[in-house]
Amino acid sequence: LIDKVFSSSVTLSARGVVSFIEQLIVVSEAEISGDTKRGISGFSGSSVNSSQPKTAGSAHGMDGPRIFSMQRLVEVADYNMNIRPRLTWSQIWETMGTHFAKVGCNENAMVSMFAIDALRQLSFKFLEKPELTDFNFQRLFLKPFLLIMKNPGSREDVRELVLRCVDNIIRTLAHNLRSGWKIFFSVLTLSSSDSSVKIKTLGLAILQRLLDEHLDDLCPSSNIDGPVTDNGEDQAEESLSSTERSVRNANAEDFVGLCRASLSFVQVEE
């Protein structure tokens, strides 16, 4: 019956599901406010390894943080991701993403690792579908990774996990990335000025692999057939549809972002 409460969230109205998620986040915040020096309790999944006994208790304050509602939040996101209109989903994710970014910087390592791993799993599912032209849903969805990376209180192991998630997504789904590139370039740029040499080295390795293996995914070559004349560029420009122009401009912006990320490492070295 408890499972059905969450799986039935797909039947709620747009306003109803937003309210449902907002209240689930309130409960999740209360559960996570347990003693951060203890291991997590009330855990029933396999995404995070915990040496603590799996209990269903709710005495957050005496026990360690509980992530029951956080798990359910991941499930609700999974259920609703592909059935909601993108505009409704963006409103849902704005609230969810902020919560994940906050929990990703939690003092308790197991709690923060669970939040980031949940983000990774949801990102893979969301990015399976190519982004439509003129939309920026990928950038919205991936923003929590950037927020965690920006947080001055984030631990080194958390920032390392964010970078490994970024690397994993690029390796697997680079061909589907569009507006998401902007978030990843911002994350890599931040890694270049990180206080940890390990983070800097990892960020540079990811950037190098991107250049070696995924440059064609980032900036696909255009296939425009036509006679080469003095006015060849003008003719090519006129032959492009508005959609093709938009894609070309987006590719140009992404290339500029790649150059900025690369330059950030060069400036640090100097």
Side-chain angles (χ1 to χ4, degrees), residues 2-259:
I2 290 176
D3 290 339
K4 193 170 183 180
V5 169
F6 299 99
S7 62
S8 296
S9 63
V10 296
T11 65
L12 294 172
S13 65
R15 181 178 296 181
V17 73
V18 169
S19 297
F20 179 77
I21 287 170
E22 286 175 347
Q23 297 310 313
L24 187 56
I25 288 174
V26 170
V27 178
S28 176
E29 289 176 340
E31 289 180 343
I32 291 171
S33 66
D35 186 351
T36 57
K37 294 182 180 179
R38 291 175 176 265
I40 55 177
S41 60
F43 178 67
S44 59
S46 59
S47 296
V48 177
N49 294 320
S50 173
S51 59
Q52 298 296 317
K54 297 177 182 179
T55 66
S58 60
H60 50 270
M62 295 171 60
D63 295 329
R66 297 188 73 241
I67 56 171
F68 174 81
S69 294
M70 179 66 126
Q71 287 176 288
R72 296 302 190 176
L73 198 60
V74 175
E75 292 171 13
V76 171
D78 190 16
Y79 293 140
N80 287 271
M81 186 181 298
N82 291 325
I83 69 162
R84 300 286 176 179
R86 278 295 184 246
L87 291 177
T88 302
W89 173 250
S90 65
Q91 185 180 3
I92 291 172
W93 185 250
E94 190 168 358
T95 306
M96 276 192 182
T98 301
H99 182 59
F100 278 113
K102 180 180 178 182
V103 178
C105 296
N106 191 275
E107 264 184 82
N108 187 292
M110 285 184 286
V111 172
S112 59
M113 295 293 180
F114 178 86
I116 296 172
D117 187 58
L119 271 174
R120 180 189 61 80
Q121 293 179 44
L122 290 173
S123 295
F124 266 94
K125 180 168 183 179
F126 183 80
L127 293 171
E128 284 176 357
K129 290 186 176 181
E131 185 176 58
L132 299 176
T133 306
D134 295 328
F135 286 90
N136 293 293
F137 292 123
Q138 288 184 358
R139 185 162 52 179
L140 172 67
F141 197 94
L142 297 171
K143 188 178 179 181
F145 288 119
L146 180 59
L147 294 177
I148 294 171
M149 201 73 182
K150 277 183 174 179
N151 191 314
S154 63
R155 301 187 311 276
E156 178 182 335
D157 60 335
V158 164
R159 299 195 300 278
E160 180 184 354
L161 184 57
V162 167
L163 284 173
R164 295 200 181 280
C165 288
V166 168
D167 187 29
N168 204 344
I169 292 171
I170 291 174
R171 285 171 183 259
T172 311
L173 294 169
H175 59 285
N176 273 355
L177 284 174
R178 285 194 176 175
S179 66
W181 284 118
K182 294 179 177 63
I183 294 296
F184 288 165
F185 291 144
S186 296
V187 168
L188 292 175
T189 299
L190 285 172
S191 72
S192 71
S193 58
D194 199 277
S195 57
S196 166
V197 175
K198 185 177 183 180
I199 299 298
K200 290 178 182 176
T201 304
L202 180 57
L204 183 58
I206 294 171
L207 182 63
Q208 184 64 57
R209 190 178 299 111
L210 195 166
L211 288 167
D212 291 341
E213 302 175 10
H214 301 289
L215 195 58
D216 287 341
D217 294 315
L218 176 66
C219 304
S221 56
S222 58
N223 298 316
I224 302 172
D225 296 324
V228 179
T229 66
D230 292 339
N231 297 323
E233 292 184 3
D234 293 336
Q235 291 179 4
E237 177 71 23
E238 291 175 2
S239 68
L240 293 175
S241 66
S242 59
T243 300
E244 288 171 331
R245 284 196 192 93
S246 179
V247 171
R248 185 196 59 182
N249 292 338
N251 290 338
E253 289 178 10
D254 290 338
F255 184 74
V256 171
L258 174 62
C259 292

